[in-house]
């Protein structure tokens, strides 16, 4: 079987994300949720599963720690031991993990090198089959768990996730169990699909989080492209309605209500959408996923906005946030609102 060589990557939009350093244990996700925009990458990568090359992964980790003069973004993340998000383009605990156990072995490597990481998954039942690995990481304070539960709950599970994942209520029940066991945990609520999900859906989910003693959630609107639109249209979903409400002017009104609901229910809400949250919304965690991690990337809009809100100058913001990775000039343009090809703090009203 062809192996995945570049399992450790940095998101291309790292200036917008405190958790851009990712580890994918598989190069494809056989769960294949209908709304997943990442599956468009199969046109480039092919349909092969591609388990990660664990020997190469360990060599990369070891070499990265020794490299005092990194030239790449991945190199900078490695030498600074930035917290890794496990499960970016493919779910690390998709069903095939029970056969190949690549994720379990990857966790063992991260524990071996005392590397902090976040597990993002819709397959919490499969994740708990790796219980020994999880507790080994917890014993060294390395692990944060982030199950994905979008606000449509059972409807999303049936329609979008095709019942190929753990039932959402099962994810929440297990999350409560893990919190009781002392695991740092937050729920990833992405995506909120405007025109498909409703504000009532979101409120009902917050009520469930409170019931299960879960204090952290996050929300973001939809990565909507032609690939996803075709797939959703094929299963009878109104993509024109989604497109309309996904536009900034419509989404901003919806998002404001979601933010207010999180305050009402006392849920710490993370939101990567620094533009549409406006100038007054302050993130409560060191990531926009709504969770605190030991060593997030800091050179990004999450921190640019916070420091701008505190009245810091551009020079101060750059000095306080730069951690070795990221385009300095582009970051300055984001802070000062001097570019129109990407979102800036000016768009957020700052």
């Amino acid at each position: 079987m062809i192996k995945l060589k570049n399992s450790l990557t940095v998101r291309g939009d790292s200036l917008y994300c405190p958790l851009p350093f990712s580890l994918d244990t598989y190069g494809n996700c056989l769960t294949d949720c209908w709304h997943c925009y990442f599956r468009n990458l199969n046109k480039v990568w092919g349909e092969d599963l591609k388990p990660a090359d664990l020997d190469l992964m360990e060599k990369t980790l070891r070499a990265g720690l020794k490299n005092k003069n990194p030239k790449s973004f991945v190199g900078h993340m490695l030498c600074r031991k930035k917290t890794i998000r496990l499960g970016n383009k493919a779910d690390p605990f998709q069903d095939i993990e029970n056969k190949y156990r690549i994720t379990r072995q990857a966790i063992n490597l991260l524990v071996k090198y005392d590397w902090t990481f976040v597990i993002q998954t819709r397959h919490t039942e499969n994740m708990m089959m790796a219980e020994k690995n999880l507790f080994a990481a917890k014993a060294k304070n390395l692990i944060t768990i982030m199950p994905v539960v979008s606000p449509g709950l059972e409807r999303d599970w049936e329609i979008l996730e095709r019942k190929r994942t753990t039932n959402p209520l099962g994810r929440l029940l297990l999350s409560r169990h893990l919190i009781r066991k002392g695991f740092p945990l937050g729920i990833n609520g992405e995506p909120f699909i405007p025109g498909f999900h409703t504000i009532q859906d979101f409120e009902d989910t917050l009520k469930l989080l409170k019931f299960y003693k879960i204090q952290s959630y996050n929300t973001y609107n939809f990565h909507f492209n032609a690939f996803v639109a075709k797939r959703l249209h094929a299963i009878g979903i109104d993509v024109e309605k989604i497109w309309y409400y996904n536009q900034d002017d419509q989404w901003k009104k919806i998002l404001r209500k979601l933010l207010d609901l999180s305050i009402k229910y006392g849920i710490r809400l993370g939101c990567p959408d620094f533009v549409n949250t406006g100038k007054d919304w302050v993130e409560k965690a060191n990531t926009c996923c709504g969770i605190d991690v030991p060593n997030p990337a800091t050179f990004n809009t999450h921190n640019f906005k916070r420091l701008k809100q505190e009245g810091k100058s551009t020079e101060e913001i750059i000095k306080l946030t730069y951690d070795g990775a990221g385009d300095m000039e582009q970051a300055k343009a984001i802070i000062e609102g001097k570019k129109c090809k990407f979102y800036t703090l000016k768009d957020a009203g700052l």
Side-chain angles (χ1 to χ4, degrees), residues 134-145:
L134 304 183
F135 275 90
K138 177 184 173 295
K140 300 176 80 172
N141 297 314
L142 300 174
I143 186 172
T144 303
I145 298 177

Side-chain angles (χ1 to χ4, degrees), residues 115-133:
W115 216 295
T116 60
F117 62 97
V118 176
I119 293 177
Q120 179 175 302
T121 182
R122 287 179 167 85
H123 292 267
T124 53
E125 286 181 324
N126 294 345
M127 180 185 71
M128 287 311 296
M129 295 178 73
E131 187 173 2
K132 289 183 179 179
N133 310 75

